[in-house]
Tab-separated table of all heavy atoms in Angstrom:
chain	number	residue	atom	x	y	z
A	115	LYS	N	-10.282	3.545	4.349
A	115	LYS	CA	-9.145	3.324	5.238
A	115	LYS	C	-8.169	4.491	5.304
A	115	LYS	O	-7.527	4.715	6.333
A	115	LYS	CB	-8.386	2.068	4.788
A	115	LYS	CG	-9.198	0.787	4.865
A	115	LYS	CD	-9.607	0.456	6.297
A	115	LYS	CE	-10.328	-0.884	6.381
A	115	LYS	NZ	-10.717	-1.210	7.774
A	116	CYS	N	-8.049	5.225	4.195
A	116	CYS	CA	-7.042	6.290	4.136
A	116	CYS	C	-7.635	7.694	4.165
A	116	CYS	O	-6.909	8.676	4.323
A	116	CYS	CB	-6.171	6.128	2.891
A	116	CYS	SG	-5.305	4.559	2.804
A	117	GLY	N	-8.935	7.807	3.936
A	117	GLY	CA	-9.584	9.112	4.043
A	117	GLY	C	-9.542	9.952	2.792
A	117	GLY	O	-9.839	11.149	2.844
A	118	PHE	N	-9.168	9.373	1.645
A	118	PHE	CA	-9.196	10.131	0.406
A	118	PHE	C	-9.596	9.203	-0.740
A	118	PHE	O	-9.426	7.991	-0.670
A	118	PHE	CB	-7.837	10.778	0.111
A	118	PHE	CG	-6.716	9.801	-0.095
A	118	PHE	CD1	-6.458	9.242	-1.347
A	118	PHE	CD2	-5.893	9.429	0.967
A	118	PHE	CE1	-5.422	8.353	-1.539
A	118	PHE	CE2	-4.858	8.536	0.788
A	118	PHE	CZ	-4.621	7.997	-0.465
A	119	THR	N	-10.130	9.807	-1.808
A	119	THR	CA	-10.506	9.042	-2.993
A	119	THR	C	-9.348	9.042	-3.971
A	119	THR	O	-8.878	10.112	-4.376
A	119	THR	CB	-11.753	9.651	-3.665
A	119	THR	OG1	-12.842	9.641	-2.735
A	119	THR	CG2	-12.131	8.851	-4.906
A	120	PRO	N	-8.843	7.857	-4.354
A	120	PRO	CA	-7.697	7.813	-5.268
A	120	PRO	C	-8.059	8.343	-6.649
A	120	PRO	O	-9.215	8.260	-7.077
A	120	PRO	CB	-7.361	6.320	-5.324
A	120	PRO	CG	-8.639	5.632	-4.992
A	120	PRO	CD	-9.327	6.517	-3.989
A	121	SER	N	-7.087	8.901	-7.327
A	121	SER	CA	-7.312	9.439	-8.672
A	121	SER	C	-6.091	9.136	-9.534
A	121	SER	O	-5.064	8.659	-9.050
A	121	SER	CB	-7.555	10.953	-8.610
A	121	SER	OG	-6.445	11.608	-8.022
A	122	GLY	N	-6.203	9.413	-10.808
A	122	GLY	CA	-5.108	9.169	-11.721
A	122	GLY	C	-5.075	7.729	-12.192
A	122	GLY	O	-6.026	6.963	-11.991
A	123	ASP	N	-3.992	7.340	-12.804
A	123	ASP	CA	-3.827	6.003	-13.373
A	123	ASP	C	-3.854	4.956	-12.257
A	123	ASP	O	-2.975	4.949	-11.385
A	123	ASP	CB	-2.495	5.943	-14.120
A	123	ASP	CG	-2.261	4.592	-14.791
A	123	ASP	OD1	-3.107	3.692	-14.650
A	123	ASP	OD2	-1.213	4.458	-15.447
A	124	PRO	N	-4.842	4.054	-12.237
A	124	PRO	CA	-4.931	3.049	-11.165
A	124	PRO	C	-3.696	2.159	-11.054
A	124	PRO	O	-3.405	1.648	-9.965
A	124	PRO	CB	-6.170	2.230	-11.556
A	124	PRO	CG	-6.995	3.168	-12.372
A	124	PRO	CD	-6.003	3.971	-13.144
A	125	SER	N	-2.979	1.982	-12.169
A	125	SER	CA	-1.790	1.124	-12.120
A	125	SER	C	-0.688	1.724	-11.260
A	125	SER	O	0.287	1.047	-10.926
A	125	SER	CB	-1.259	0.862	-13.531
A	125	SER	OG	-0.774	2.054	-14.123
A	126	THR	N	-0.832	3.022	-10.888
A	126	THR	CA	0.180	3.680	-10.062
A	126	THR	C	-0.289	3.887	-8.619
A	126	THR	O	0.407	4.518	-7.830
A	126	THR	CB	0.551	5.052	-10.665
A	126	THR	OG1	-0.599	5.929	-10.608
A	126	THR	CG2	0.998	4.911	-12.109
A	127	TRP	N	-1.466	3.366	-8.271
A	127	TRP	CA	-2.010	3.602	-6.930
A	127	TRP	C	-1.155	2.955	-5.827
A	127	TRP	O	-1.037	3.491	-4.742
A	127	TRP	CB	-3.437	3.073	-6.835
A	127	TRP	CG	-4.446	3.909	-7.565
A	127	TRP	CD1	-4.215	5.039	-8.287
A	127	TRP	CD2	-5.857	3.668	-7.637
A	127	TRP	NE1	-5.372	5.530	-8.821
A	127	TRP	CE2	-6.409	4.705	-8.439
A	127	TRP	CE3	-6.701	2.690	-7.137
A	127	TRP	CZ2	-7.774	4.784	-8.718
A	127	TRP	CZ3	-8.057	2.761	-7.415
A	127	TRP	CH2	-8.593	3.794	-8.202
A	128	PHE	N	-0.593	1.784	-6.121
A	128	PHE	CA	0.176	1.056	-5.108
A	128	PHE	C	1.645	0.966	-5.506
A	128	PHE	O	1.966	0.671	-6.651
A	128	PHE	CB	-0.369	-0.363	-4.935
A	128	PHE	CG	-1.790	-0.427	-4.430
A	128	PHE	CD1	-2.838	-0.639	-5.321
A	128	PHE	CD2	-2.077	-0.276	-3.083
A	128	PHE	CE1	-4.151	-0.709	-4.873
A	128	PHE	CE2	-3.385	-0.337	-2.623
A	128	PHE	CZ	-4.426	-0.554	-3.517
A	129	LYS	N	2.527	1.203	-4.551
A	129	LYS	CA	3.955	1.055	-4.780
A	129	LYS	C	4.587	0.437	-3.543
A	129	LYS	O	4.576	1.018	-2.460
A	129	LYS	CB	4.615	2.404	-5.074
A	129	LYS	CG	6.116	2.285	-5.382
A	129	LYS	CD	6.735	3.641	-5.674
A	129	LYS	CE	8.215	3.511	-5.986
A	129	LYS	NZ	8.838	4.841	-6.241
A	130	GLU	N	5.130	-0.766	-3.700
A	130	GLU	CA	5.783	-1.452	-2.586
A	130	GLU	C	7.102	-0.757	-2.275
A	130	GLU	O	7.914	-0.509	-3.161
A	130	GLU	CB	6.001	-2.925	-2.925
A	130	GLU	CG	4.682	-3.677	-3.138
A	130	GLU	CD	4.867	-5.108	-3.605
A	130	GLU	OE1	6.017	-5.585	-3.604
A	130	GLU	OE2	3.859	-5.749	-3.978
A	131	LEU	N	7.298	-0.429	-1.009
A	131	LEU	CA	8.470	0.345	-0.609
A	131	LEU	C	9.555	-0.496	0.047
A	131	LEU	O	10.745	-0.248	-0.154
A	131	LEU	CB	8.052	1.468	0.355
A	131	LEU	CG	7.048	2.479	-0.176
A	131	LEU	CD1	6.675	3.470	0.926
A	131	LEU	CD2	7.606	3.214	-1.395
A	132	SER	N	9.160	-1.452	0.879
A	132	SER	CA	10.145	-2.253	1.595
A	132	SER	C	9.552	-3.609	1.936
A	132	SER	O	8.331	-3.811	1.855
A	132	SER	CB	10.615	-1.537	2.872
A	132	SER	OG	9.529	-1.355	3.773
A	133	TYR	N	10.446	-4.527	2.328
A	133	TYR	CA	10.035	-5.910	2.563
A	133	TYR	C	10.622	-6.412	3.877
A	133	TYR	O	11.642	-5.920	4.350
A	133	TYR	CB	10.492	-6.793	1.393
A	133	TYR	CG	9.957	-6.309	0.077
A	133	TYR	CD1	10.666	-5.360	-0.665
A	133	TYR	CD2	8.734	-6.729	-0.405
A	133	TYR	CE1	10.170	-4.859	-1.856
A	133	TYR	CE2	8.221	-6.245	-1.601
A	133	TYR	CZ	8.939	-5.315	-2.315
A	133	TYR	OH	8.426	-4.816	-3.490
A	134	THR	N	9.991	-7.407	4.444
A	134	THR	CA	10.483	-8.008	5.675
A	134	THR	C	11.618	-8.979	5.360
A	134	THR	O	11.898	-9.271	4.199
A	134	THR	CB	9.361	-8.779	6.404
A	134	THR	OG1	9.040	-9.965	5.649
A	134	THR	CG2	8.117	-7.926	6.557
A	135	SER	N	12.216	-9.505	6.414
A	135	SER	CA	13.307	-10.459	6.222
A	135	SER	C	12.833	-11.724	5.517
A	135	SER	O	13.632	-12.437	4.912
A	135	SER	CB	13.908	-10.830	7.580
A	135	SER	OG	12.903	-11.371	8.437
A	136	GLY	N	11.532	-12.000	5.565
A	136	GLY	CA	10.981	-13.164	4.897
A	136	GLY	C	10.500	-12.888	3.486
A	136	GLY	O	9.987	-13.790	2.819
A	137	GLY	N	10.610	-11.640	3.016
A	137	GLY	CA	10.189	-11.298	1.665
A	137	GLY	C	8.748	-10.860	1.556
A	137	GLY	O	8.229	-10.669	0.460
A	138	TYR	N	8.061	-10.699	2.680
A	138	TYR	CA	6.691	-10.194	2.678
A	138	TYR	C	6.712	-8.670	2.578
A	138	TYR	O	7.693	-8.025	2.969
A	138	TYR	CB	5.972	-10.604	3.961
A	138	TYR	CG	5.778	-12.098	4.131
A	138	TYR	CD1	6.835	-12.921	4.507
A	138	TYR	CD2	4.536	-12.683	3.919
A	138	TYR	CE1	6.668	-14.297	4.670
A	138	TYR	CE2	4.349	-14.056	4.081
A	138	TYR	CZ	5.427	-14.850	4.452
A	138	TYR	OH	5.245	-16.210	4.607
A	139	VAL	N	5.634	-8.088	2.074
A	139	VAL	CA	5.575	-6.632	1.938
A	139	VAL	C	5.565	-6.003	3.321
A	139	VAL	O	4.739	-6.353	4.175
A	139	VAL	CB	4.332	-6.196	1.143
A	139	VAL	CG1	4.233	-4.671	1.111
A	139	VAL	CG2	4.387	-6.761	-0.277
A	140	ASN	N	6.462	-5.060	3.550
A	140	ASN	CA	6.518	-4.353	4.824
A	140	ASN	C	5.763	-3.035	4.714
A	140	ASN	O	4.696	-2.867	5.288
A	140	ASN	CB	7.976	-4.125	5.222
A	140	ASN	CG	8.118	-3.399	6.551
A	140	ASN	OD1	7.218	-3.395	7.366
A	140	ASN	ND2	9.273	-2.771	6.748
A	141	GLN	N	6.295	-2.100	3.925
A	141	GLN	CA	5.656	-0.799	3.735
A	141	GLN	C	5.212	-0.656	2.277
A	141	GLN	O	5.916	-1.068	1.358
A	141	GLN	CB	6.626	0.332	4.094
A	141	GLN	CG	7.063	0.342	5.551
A	141	GLN	CD	5.932	0.743	6.480
A	141	GLN	OE1	5.157	1.653	6.180
A	141	GLN	NE2	5.832	0.064	7.611
A	142	ILE	N	4.055	-0.037	2.079
A	142	ILE	CA	3.530	0.172	0.733
A	142	ILE	C	2.891	1.554	0.666
A	142	ILE	O	2.172	1.974	1.579
A	142	ILE	CB	2.517	-0.937	0.352
A	142	ILE	CG1	2.056	-0.777	-1.102
A	142	ILE	CG2	1.354	-0.994	1.318
A	142	ILE	CD1	1.296	-1.994	-1.623
A	143	SER	N	3.188	2.261	-0.428
A	143	SER	CA	2.640	3.601	-0.628
A	143	SER	C	1.315	3.506	-1.387
A	143	SER	O	1.170	2.698	-2.308
A	143	SER	CB	3.626	4.455	-1.426
A	143	SER	OG	3.034	5.689	-1.819
A	144	ILE	N	0.358	4.337	-1.003
A	144	ILE	CA	-0.934	4.390	-1.676
A	144	ILE	C	-1.112	5.775	-2.287
A	144	ILE	O	-1.247	6.770	-1.577
A	144	ILE	CB	-2.087	4.086	-0.704
A	144	ILE	CG1	-1.880	2.714	-0.060
A	144	ILE	CG2	-3.427	4.149	-1.421
A	144	ILE	CD1	-2.936	2.341	0.943
A	145	CYS	N	-1.055	5.822	-3.590
A	145	CYS	CA	-1.235	7.065	-4.360
A	145	CYS	C	-0.234	8.145	-3.976
A	145	CYS	O	-0.469	9.333	-4.233
A	145	CYS	CB	-2.656	7.601	-4.185
A	145	CYS	SG	-3.933	6.448	-4.721
A	146	GLY	N	0.856	7.768	-3.356
A	146	GLY	CA	1.844	8.748	-2.937
A	146	GLY	C	1.373	9.650	-1.822
A	146	GLY	O	2.072	10.602	-1.434
A	147	LYS	N	0.197	9.376	-1.267
A	147	LYS	CA	-0.379	10.225	-0.224
A	147	LYS	C	-0.370	9.571	1.148
A	147	LYS	O	-0.475	10.251	2.163
A	147	LYS	CB	-1.816	10.593	-0.583
A	147	LYS	CG	-1.975	11.390	-1.867
A	147	LYS	CD	-3.439	11.713	-2.126
A	147	LYS	CE	-3.628	12.523	-3.390
A	147	LYS	NZ	-5.064	12.836	-3.631
A	148	SER	N	-0.282	8.261	1.183
A	148	SER	CA	-0.366	7.535	2.439
A	148	SER	C	0.514	6.303	2.379
A	148	SER	O	0.731	5.744	1.297
A	148	SER	CB	-1.817	7.132	2.725
A	148	SER	OG	-1.932	6.403	3.934
A	149	THR	N	1.035	5.905	3.508
A	149	THR	CA	1.845	4.697	3.593
A	149	THR	C	1.238	3.766	4.630
A	149	THR	O	0.871	4.204	5.726
A	149	THR	CB	3.302	5.017	3.986
A	149	THR	OG1	3.875	5.887	2.998
A	149	THR	CG2	4.134	3.746	4.084
A	150	THR	N	1.130	2.506	4.275
A	150	THR	CA	0.604	1.519	5.216
A	150	THR	C	1.452	0.256	5.131
A	150	THR	O	2.476	0.218	4.460
A	150	THR	CB	-0.884	1.224	4.932
A	150	THR	OG1	-1.422	0.442	6.010
A	150	THR	CG2	-1.062	0.485	3.619
A	151	THR	N	1.032	-0.785	5.819
A	151	THR	CA	1.798	-2.026	5.860
A	151	THR	C	1.196	-3.090	4.940
A	151	THR	O	0.010	-3.050	4.611
A	151	THR	CB	1.830	-2.590	7.290
A	151	THR	OG1	0.488	-2.935	7.694
A	151	THR	CG2	2.413	-1.576	8.257
A	152	GLY	N	2.035	-4.038	4.562
A	152	GLY	CA	1.530	-5.166	3.798
A	152	GLY	C	0.505	-5.949	4.591
A	152	GLY	O	-0.461	-6.486	4.036
A	153	LYS	N	0.690	-6.010	5.897
A	153	LYS	CA	-0.274	-6.685	6.769
A	153	LYS	C	-1.640	-6.030	6.662
A	153	LYS	O	-2.677	-6.716	6.611
A	153	LYS	CB	0.231	-6.645	8.208
A	153	LYS	CG	-0.706	-7.280	9.220
A	153	LYS	CD	-0.158	-7.127	10.632
A	153	LYS	CE	-1.162	-7.609	11.663
A	153	LYS	NZ	-0.675	-7.420	13.042
A	154	ASN	N	-1.682	-4.704	6.601
A	154	ASN	CA	-2.962	-4.008	6.464
A	154	ASN	C	-3.601	-4.277	5.110
A	154	ASN	O	-4.817	-4.484	5.016
A	154	ASN	CB	-2.772	-2.509	6.664
A	154	ASN	CG	-2.628	-2.133	8.125
A	154	ASN	OD1	-2.996	-2.894	9.016
A	154	ASN	ND2	-2.069	-0.957	8.383
A	155	ILE	N	-2.795	-4.251	4.045
A	155	ILE	CA	-3.339	-4.544	2.708
A	155	ILE	C	-3.938	-5.945	2.693
A	155	ILE	O	-5.015	-6.177	2.133
A	155	ILE	CB	-2.251	-4.405	1.628
A	155	ILE	CG1	-1.785	-2.941	1.529
A	155	ILE	CG2	-2.762	-4.891	0.277
A	155	ILE	CD1	-2.848	-1.976	1.047
A	156	ARG	N	-3.237	-6.880	3.317
A	156	ARG	CA	-3.761	-8.243	3.407
A	156	ARG	C	-5.123	-8.250	4.091
A	156	ARG	O	-6.061	-8.911	3.649
A	156	ARG	CB	-2.777	-9.125	4.166
A	156	ARG	CG	-3.260	-10.569	4.236
A	156	ARG	CD	-2.521	-11.401	5.253
A	156	ARG	NE	-3.147	-12.725	5.300
A	156	ARG	CZ	-3.051	-13.562	6.303
A	156	ARG	NH1	-2.358	-13.241	7.367
A	156	ARG	NH2	-3.646	-14.734	6.260
A	157	SER	N	-5.225	-7.509	5.177
A	157	SER	CA	-6.479	-7.442	5.928
A	157	SER	C	-7.585	-6.768	5.127
A	157	SER	O	-8.695	-7.281	5.025
A	157	SER	CB	-6.244	-6.684	7.241
A	157	SER	OG	-7.448	-6.419	7.906
A	158	TRP	N	-7.287	-5.625	4.526
A	158	TRP	CA	-8.303	-4.864	3.804
A	158	TRP	C	-8.919	-5.659	2.665
A	158	TRP	O	-10.125	-5.583	2.428
A	158	TRP	CB	-7.697	-3.585	3.228
A	158	TRP	CG	-7.162	-2.622	4.235
A	158	TRP	CD1	-7.252	-2.693	5.602
A	158	TRP	CD2	-6.418	-1.430	3.952
A	158	TRP	NE1	-6.614	-1.639	6.195
A	158	TRP	CE2	-6.097	-0.835	5.198
A	158	TRP	CE3	-5.983	-0.812	2.782
A	158	TRP	CZ2	-5.373	0.350	5.294
A	158	TRP	CZ3	-5.264	0.367	2.878
A	158	TRP	CH2	-4.965	0.945	4.126
């Protein structure tokens, strides 16, 4: 989905950045290299 192979400590691969008004994940960082939506993570 992101075009790169993650590396380093897996516990740091995902970082939630922001949330919707309902408390759902809005933006999430992947390995500090890419940002996607909580909706996409749900789908993937």
Side-chain angles (χ1 to χ4, degrees):
K115 297 297 184 180
C116 301
F118 63 86
T119 300
S121 59
D123 182 358
S125 66
T126 65
W127 287 1
F128 297 100
K129 182 180 180 181
E130 297 174 9
L131 300 177
S132 63
Y133 303 88
T134 70
S135 58
Y138 296 76
V139 175
N140 180 21
Q141 297 290 319
I142 185 168
S143 171
I144 303 178
C145 301
K147 298 180 179 180
S148 179
T149 300
T150 190
T151 64
K153 178 183 173 182
N154 283 341
I155 295 295
R156 182 195 175 201
S157 171
W158 298 354

